[in-house]
Amino acid sequence: FRGQLDQVQESIEKSSEYFIRVSKSHYINMKYIKSFSAKEITMANGEAIPITRKYMEDFRKRSVDLC
C-alpha cells in the first residue's frame, strides 16, 4: 500500500474490530498478537512491533475488550 494510514484508518476500523493502529506506520490484526508489554507487541510470527504513546491507551482499551 502506498499512502498514509490516516487515509484508510476509519474504513479499516469499521470493517473489522480486530485491526488497530499501534504506531505511525503500523496497523496490526489483534488476532495474531502473541504477547505485549508497555513498549512493544510480539506477533505470532515473532516480529516485535513498537507501540507509541499516542496509540497506547486505545490499544489497552481494545485489548481488554477482545479478551
Side-chain angles (χ1 to χ4, degrees):
F1 173 77
R2 290 242 183 238
Q4 294 183 355
L5 285 176
D6 290 336
Q7 295 171 343
V8 296
Q9 182 173 357
E10 189 174 316
S11 62
I12 287 174
E13 289 178 355
K14 285 181 181 178
S15 65
S16 176
E17 64 184 15
Y18 295 105
F19 283 89
I20 187 168
R21 190 169 185 177
V22 295
S23 71
K24 182 179 177 181
S25 53
H26 290 94
Y27 247 102
I28 63 165
N29 185 333
M30 294 182 74
K31 289 181 178 182
Y32 295 98
I33 294 174
K34 182 177 179 182
S35 64
F36 63 91
S37 66
K39 295 186 179 189
E40 71 179 17
I41 298 166
T42 302
M43 302 302 291
N45 67 356
E47 184 176 355
I49 298 173
I51 307 172
T52 59
R53 283 187 243 164
K54 180 177 180 178
Y55 300 103
M56 177 55 81
E57 186 63 31
D58 188 40
F59 174 75
R60 286 182 182 162
K61 288 178 185 176
R62 301 261 315 268
S63 64
V64 169
D65 291 344
L66 293 174
C67 292

